[in-house]
Amino acid sequence: MKKIVVLVSGSGSNLQAIIDACHTKQINGQIVAVISNKADVYALERAKQAHIATHVINHQDYSSREAFDQMVAKQIDHYQPDLIVLAGYMRILSADFVQRYIGKMLNIHPSLLPKYPGLHTHRRAIEAGDGDHGTTVHFVTEELDGGPIVLQAKVPIFSNDEESDVIERVIAQEHQIYPLVIKWFCDNRLEMRDGKAYLDHKPIPDSGYGND
């Protein structure tokens, strides 16, 4: 059974989906710790309710991104996890931190990458007049939201949509595809090597599994 550490910054709805998937044995893994860069976020309460160890490391207490990441890495390494999962973790990672966990760190980003890296993705998609939007699970590299794509899910954008409508649609898909990708990793089906993602020893297309 793989050991998983989850990094969070907010409400933790994706964390909850992963907790549930571990509980039902969909994921052959165990979340051994949840680490937040903010106190009093609901993700920590979700972890406590699931009897998962929690840690708060406030980035504002550190003079540099590197110093903060070193402390987070120290806490992660205490658990010796097989996988680090970013679930709404709103921090840009330092190069040393990324390299330390290269190939064993996943992120979910609310857009159809490579479109709309960074923030406010739903609003940007609506303002651009896009007919669809979505979410992407990818391995983490030093390029912001730019690592090898594993899986994407699309949702429609309708002409009368508010931003909240699109957000709700995207989150529903995130709760499906993130646990699935984590399951693949924990089943030793998914790996990253030579800068590409592989599933069952076959390279995943640059646009994600099933998008070739």
Side-chain angles (χ1 to χ4, degrees), residues 38-57:
K38 296 179 179 180
D40 302 322
V41 293
Y42 192 62
L44 294 171
E45 181 61 29
R46 294 180 190 272
K48 290 171 185 174
Q49 289 175 3
H51 308 291
I52 297 167
T54 62
H55 303 274
V56 176
I57 305 173

Side-chain angles (χ1 to χ4, degrees), residues 182-201:
I182 293 167
K183 169 183 169 61
W184 289 345
F185 188 95
C186 291
D187 289 343
N188 297 314
R189 296 180 59 196
L190 176 67
E191 64 177 330
M192 174 183 161
R193 64 175 190 267
D194 301 324
K196 287 190 67 70
Y198 287 78
L199 183 64
D200 298 329
H201 308 292

Side-chain angles (χ1 to χ4, degrees), residues 103-149:
K104 55 189 290 187
M105 186 158 51
L106 292 169
N107 182 47
I108 192 162
H109 181 74
S111 80
L112 296 172
L113 291 172
K115 293 181 79 171
Y116 311 125
L119 301 175
H120 310 302
T121 61
H122 313 293
R123 187 186 317 158
R124 289 155 68 190
I126 292 170
E127 289 174 351
D130 292 354
D132 54 36
H133 188 46
T135 185
T136 303
V137 181
H138 64 96
F139 280 104
V140 177
T141 63
E142 291 181 40
E143 182 184 355
L144 178 65
D145 299 325
I149 292 170

Side-chain angles (χ1 to χ4, degrees), residues 123-171:
R123 187 186 317 158
R124 289 155 68 190
I126 292 170
E127 289 174 351
D130 292 354
D132 54 36
H133 188 46
T135 185
T136 303
V137 181
H138 64 96
F139 280 104
V140 177
T141 63
E142 291 181 40
E143 182 184 355
L144 178 65
D145 299 325
I149 292 170
V150 179
L151 187 63
Q152 294 187 323
K154 288 184 179 181
V155 301
I157 298 178
F158 300 112
S159 58
N160 61 341
D161 272 341
E162 302 286 342
E163 185 177 1
S164 58
D165 299 319
V166 179
I167 290 172
E168 183 177 344
R169 230 169 271 142
V170 168
I171 288 174

Side-chain angles (χ1 to χ4, degrees), residues 74-95:
K74 183 178 180 180
Q75 190 66 72
I76 290 171
D77 291 350
H78 172 76
Y79 291 96
Q80 297 185 306
D82 301 287
L83 177 65
I84 295 97
V85 172
L86 310 184
Y89 187 58
M90 304 301 289
R91 294 286 300 167
I92 295 174
L93 305 175
S94 61

